[in-house]
Amino acid sequence: MTGTAEETGAAHVPWREVLTRAQMSSLMLVCLGVWLHAADALIVATMMPAIVASVGGEEYVAWSIALYEIGTILAGAAGAWLTRRIGLRKPMGGAALIFAAGCILSAVAPTMPILLVGRLLQGIGGGGLTAMSFIAMNRLFAMRHLARVMAMISVLWGGAAFLGPLVGGVFAEHLGWRWGFVFFGAQALALALWILLILRLPPAAGSVAQGGPLPLARLALLGLGVLAVAWAGIGISPLRTSLLLVSGLAALALFLVADDRAGADRLLPRRPLDPRTPIGAAQLMNLAMSVATITLLAYGPLLMVLIHGASPTEAGMVLAVEAIAWTVAAFAFSGAPESRDPFHIALGIGCVAAGVASAIWIVPQGPLALITIPSGLQGFGFGLAWTFVLRRARRLTAPDDLDRLSGASSTIGHFGYAFGAALLGILANAMGFSADMTAPEAAHLARGLFIGCLPAVAVGLYATWRFTRRGAAEAAYSG
């Protein structure tokens, strides 16, 4: 596939082309939508001990994460369907209002079950905002500007990952955790009013009457599948967890089959996990690497405490290196020409794979400071690759699947984290995981968990090769 420098992005794109008055409102829209979702999740995780001390319900803490993720995945899957029929304004404004409502409900919640309903609403609103922010990025910016826009989003995401725990600590310790929810609810309400009343956005790609109604049956299958997988990762027991995991995967397989047969009413791109197509390979890579890298996030802090005697703050700072490295890489390479996309994708995913592999030795052995290597490699690799994954996928996908592609990237990535966490729970339980482990026992567990990620890494590397190989462009619309 050939073209001019404008078409292929071969020319260097200066920042002044993106940071113009005409494009500033579009840039603010995509960045603020991502910011609310990214920062809220991390701040709430930091505030959770104070929340439990106030309203109780410690047995439901894991569900505060699971319900948030379920809402995120469902909203991400439905985002493209909504925007294709009624445009960006109402769905994005509505998602911001749902997010605000969830924050306010959580802020006034007298018990943990009511707070969980608020967290589900926040997941729906935040997931919708994130998915539709990427859809908006594709609609509002030229392809040559995508890398620069993604760099700005990465800066906000990295800032959220770094500042989120600190801000959450301030609310939990000094201002009160309820005000933390009010703080984000007010931001979401302001964003909703700006989108609905002030911002100018392009019309829908189709019309309200185009296609069938919202595919509730398929969304129900997706929701049940994600719920079963999330539940499998909570309160691990071999039989129950395995049954839930198999049931969840079966429901998700039925969802994929039904969605692929839905024609123009699909929620996801065609064959979204088929490595024989470029887009299927990209999303399989997304899924596999999400599964492979959840270990450091889910078990890293506890392992650092048990093995190396780290404080929770020290463990958090080690993980923050991933966010910093992601931001640095995305910003540093954002001006690269499109002709170099396959190389940058392969190099970035290779760094992620190296980060997972290095953790097999580094996390059990230490010292603590050395664990910044796998953390940094994962962050740098994702930051280097992800901008160019999105840009190459946009170029290789069919025009009528662009919005679905944008929504699917968020949906499949979040499902990968949920699925990976459930698998890790099974493996950790089989290895005798306990919070009272000795340091040698925890080191043995760490090696086993990271070795258990290697099959997912292998799948991710294979999918990366399929996505970046020279023949991918010719195979883009086959099948």
Side-chain angles (χ1 to χ4, degrees):
M1 183 176 293
T2 60
T4 65
E6 173 67 24
E7 291 169 335
T8 63
H12 176 77
V13 178
W15 277 105
R16 64 177 178 270
E17 277 194 28
V18 179
L19 301 176
T20 63
R21 183 183 298 272
Q23 295 193 117
M24 193 54 62
S25 60
S26 297
L27 190 60
M28 289 176 59
L29 176 68
V30 298
C31 287
L32 290 176
V34 171
W35 156 260
L36 282 176
H37 178 62
D40 174 78
L42 293 163
I43 287 176
V44 172
T46 306
M47 297 192 303
M48 191 53 67
I51 294 172
V52 170
S54 176
V55 302
E58 60 273 7
E59 66 272 24
Y60 298 114
V61 167
W63 279 106
S64 72
I65 300 171
L67 289 174
Y68 187 85
E69 288 297 316
I70 289 168
T72 296
I73 291 168
L74 288 176
W81 188 94
L82 288 168
T83 55
R84 286 175 63 83
R85 281 155 180 77
I86 56 178
L88 286 165
R89 181 187 306 280
K90 290 181 180 179
M92 289 198 76
L97 286 175
I98 292 171
F99 187 94
C103 288
I104 298 306
L105 182 60
S106 296
V108 301
T111 62
M112 182 62 79
I114 293 177
L115 187 137
L116 292 180
V117 176
R119 291 298 289 156
L120 177 61
L121 291 175
Q122 289 168 56
I124 293 171
L129 280 173
T130 301
M132 287 183 280
S133 290
F134 286 111
I135 293 171
M137 180 182 71
N138 275 324
R139 289 194 186 183
L140 302 178
F141 293 93
M143 184 181 289
R144 60 187 274 104
H145 295 153
L146 287 187
R148 293 298 196 189
V149 176
M150 275 300 301
M152 292 297 296
I153 291 175
S154 295
V155 168
L156 274 182
W157 199 287
F162 185 73
L163 295 175
L166 300 179
V167 174
V170 170
F171 279 110
E173 296 177 18
H174 302 290
L175 301 176
W177 62 268
R178 296 184 188 274
W179 285 106
F181 285 114
V182 172
F183 175 66
F184 274 93
Q187 292 180 60
L189 182 59
L191 178 61
L193 294 176
W194 178 58
I195 293 172
L196 294 171
L197 302 179
I198 300 173
L199 186 63
R200 294 177 179 272
L201 288 171
S207 65
V208 177
Q210 183 185 40
L214 184 66
L216 294 177
R218 272 179 283 147
L219 285 173
L221 268 177
L222 176 60
L224 288 172
V226 175
L227 176 64
V229 169
W231 198 353
I234 298 172
I236 301 296
S237 67
L239 179 61
R240 184 188 66 85
T241 299
S242 299
L243 288 174
L244 285 169
L245 202 56
V246 171
S247 300
L249 291 176
L252 289 162
L254 289 174
F255 161 76
L256 290 174
V257 170
D259 194 62
D260 199 52
R261 293 175 177 173
D265 278 337
R266 293 188 318 279
L267 295 170
L268 300 180
R270 295 181 183 88
R271 298 156 63 185
L273 297 176
D274 186 348
R276 293 172 297 179
T277 69
I279 304 310
Q283 296 307 326
L284 182 61
M285 177 185 71
N286 179 12
L287 177 68
M289 286 306 182
S290 296
V291 172
T293 54
I294 189 62
T295 306
L296 194 60
L297 179 63
Y299 283 89
L302 183 58
L303 291 171
M304 284 183 260
V305 171
L306 291 175
I307 300 171
H308 305 294
S311 69
T313 301
E314 290 171 333
M317 294 306 294
V318 170
L319 293 186
V321 170
E322 179 172 350
I324 296 170
W326 184 314
T327 302
V328 169
F331 207 81
F333 290 91
S334 63
E338 190 176 337
S339 59
R340 300 284 288 170
D341 284 0
F343 171 75
H344 287 131
I345 294 168
L347 178 61
I349 299 302
C351 286
V352 176
V356 176
S358 67
I360 297 171
W361 178 79
I362 291 175
V363 173
Q365 295 295 121
L368 184 65
L370 208 59
I371 302 176
T372 57
I373 292 177
S375 180
L377 280 171
Q378 288 185 185
F380 186 86
F382 275 127
L384 171 59
W386 201 243
T387 294
F388 308 114
V389 169
L390 293 176
R391 187 164 69 179
R392 181 170 174 81
R394 174 178 171 175
R395 185 169 70 86
L396 296 180
T397 196
D400 66 333
D401 263 349
L402 282 175
D403 288 346
R404 296 186 185 95
L405 173 68
S406 300
S409 297
S410 174
T411 299
I412 290 174
H414 279 283
F415 174 71
Y417 289 132
F419 182 54
L423 288 178
L424 279 178
I426 296 173
L427 180 57
N429 185 74
M431 294 184 68
F433 169 71
S434 168
D436 299 323
M437 278 182 156
T438 64
E441 290 171 337
H444 176 68
L445 174 69
R447 277 189 290 271
L449 291 179
F450 285 106
I451 289 173
C453 294
L454 293 181
V457 170
V459 172
L461 290 173
Y462 168 71
T464 302
W465 171 73
R466 296 287 304 191
F467 180 50
T468 58
R469 67 193 180 97
R470 181 171 296 180
E474 289 73 19
Y477 307 125
S478 66

